[in-house]
Amino acid sequence: NAGVTQTPKFQVLKTGQSMTLQCAQDMNHEYMSWYRQDPGMGLRLIHYSVGAGITDQGEVPNGYNVSRSTTEDFPLRLLSAAPSQTSVYFCASSLTSGGYRSGANVLTFGAGSRLTVL
Amino acid sequence: AQSVTQLDSQVPVFEEAPVELRCNYSSSVSVYLFWYVQYPNQGLQLLLKYLSGSTLVKGINGFEAEFNKSQTSFHLRKPSVHISDTAEYFCAVILVSGGYNKLIFGAGTRLAVHP
């Protein structure tokens, strides 16, 4: 039972480079999301998806792209990395985005990906 | 306005002492509230949640939280902490926007338990 798997765990980029953070879940969750964690700012929502083919912006979407071609995968793309994107990134999923009364929206988190942009 | 505010960035406490981590939420958001814990170098895991019903919610590891609608608060408490409770704790609230629910986090409170 893998849960939410993120790769890579660590990455160092130069300014202007592009890369993709991978996220996969094997729990048949409809809802997937990406957060970034910065000291003193908690976790901020970047993008989220409520199902295959449906994505939307969170609190801090600029500089990031996402797509959801399958239920299992939700990659996060940095097209031109900037030092301000140095952070720890977490992918999280839940059964649905609604259904809060049943607790179906409780998030399961991946272990995180630490990105440094020089 | 912030959807959720954690009033203390750091809370130092001695082992076996009681602790309270404070969280206030905006009255404009839903009242579906959560506390998550992050141990060093790990992802987040759910401690407890309030969806409806009893205002006192019990979670894992002896933690509990009380939903107070009049004070728009959801403070986390433990009567006697252990060294192993040293972690960062996040309060979170469901924000309903555009028909979808989004989980918004506070800035976190770092709990440091000393022997």
Side-chain angles (χ1 to χ4, degrees):
Chain A
N1 188 4
V4 178
T5 303
Q6 291 183 235
T7 56
K9 291 192 186 309
F10 301 95
Q11 183 72 49
V12 179
L13 290 178
K14 294 181 180 179
T15 297
Q17 286 186 315
S18 63
M19 78 155 300
T20 299
L21 298 176
Q22 302 289 348
C23 176
Q25 51 87 14
D26 61 357
M27 299 172 283
N28 203 30
H29 282 176
E30 288 184 357
Y31 181 85
M32 297 185 74
S33 54
W34 278 102
Y35 289 87
R36 59 176 289 173
Q37 183 179 23
D38 302 291
M41 305 193 75
L43 282 82
R44 291 179 292 170
L45 183 64
I46 304 171
H47 286 285
Y48 65 100
S49 168
V50 298
I54 306 171
T55 64
D56 203 354
Q57 297 181 350
E59 301 169 274
V60 288
N62 292 341
Y64 307 95
N65 282 348
V66 292
S67 59
R68 184 95 179 269
S69 56
T70 67
T71 299
E72 295 78 20
D73 300 299
F74 190 47
L76 179 72
R77 297 183 184 85
L78 286 71
L79 298 179
S80 179
S84 61
Q85 293 177 304
T86 292
S87 187
V88 181
Y89 291 85
F90 287 97
C91 180
S93 71
S94 66
L95 194 58
T96 65
S97 65
Y100 35 76
R101 290 191 181 275
S102 69
N105 63 322
V106 173
L107 289 175
T108 299
F109 281 81
S113 298
R114 185 176 295 274
L115 175 66
T116 301
V117 183
L118 303 175
Chain B
Q2 292 275 14
S3 297
V4 57
T5 302
Q6 292 183 243
L7 299 165
D8 307 294
S9 60
Q10 296 186 64
V11 173
V13 65
F14 287 109
E15 195 173 19
E16 298 183 7
V19 71
E20 178 180 82
L21 306 183
R22 298 180 293 169
C23 173
N24 285 90
Y25 65 92
S26 167
S27 58
S28 63
V29 301
S30 70
V31 289
Y32 303 105
L33 301 159
F34 305 79
W35 276 98
Y36 280 81
V37 60
Q38 183 181 31
Y39 298 104
N41 300 313
Q42 294 187 26
L44 278 74
Q45 57 183 277
L46 182 69
L47 261 184
L48 49 80
K49 61 187 178 188
Y50 172 79
L51 303 180
S52 65
S54 172
T55 57
L56 184 63
V57 180
K58 294 190 183 298
I60 62 171
N61 300 339
F63 283 93
E64 62 182 32
E66 186 159 17
F67 168 62
N68 187 320
K69 187 174 182 179
S70 62
Q71 297 186 6
T72 60
S73 68
F74 191 55
H75 301 333
L76 180 70
R77 302 186 183 99
K78 186 170 182 177
S80 175
V81 294
H82 302 291
I83 296 286
S84 60
D85 292 323
T86 294
E88 189 151 20
Y89 293 79
F90 294 93
C91 184
V93 62
I94 294 287
L95 182 66
V96 180
S97 174
Y100 301 132
N101 297 336
K102 296 181 284 192
L103 191 64
I104 303 299
F105 287 87
T109 297
R110 190 171 296 277
L111 177 64
V113 182
H114 301 284

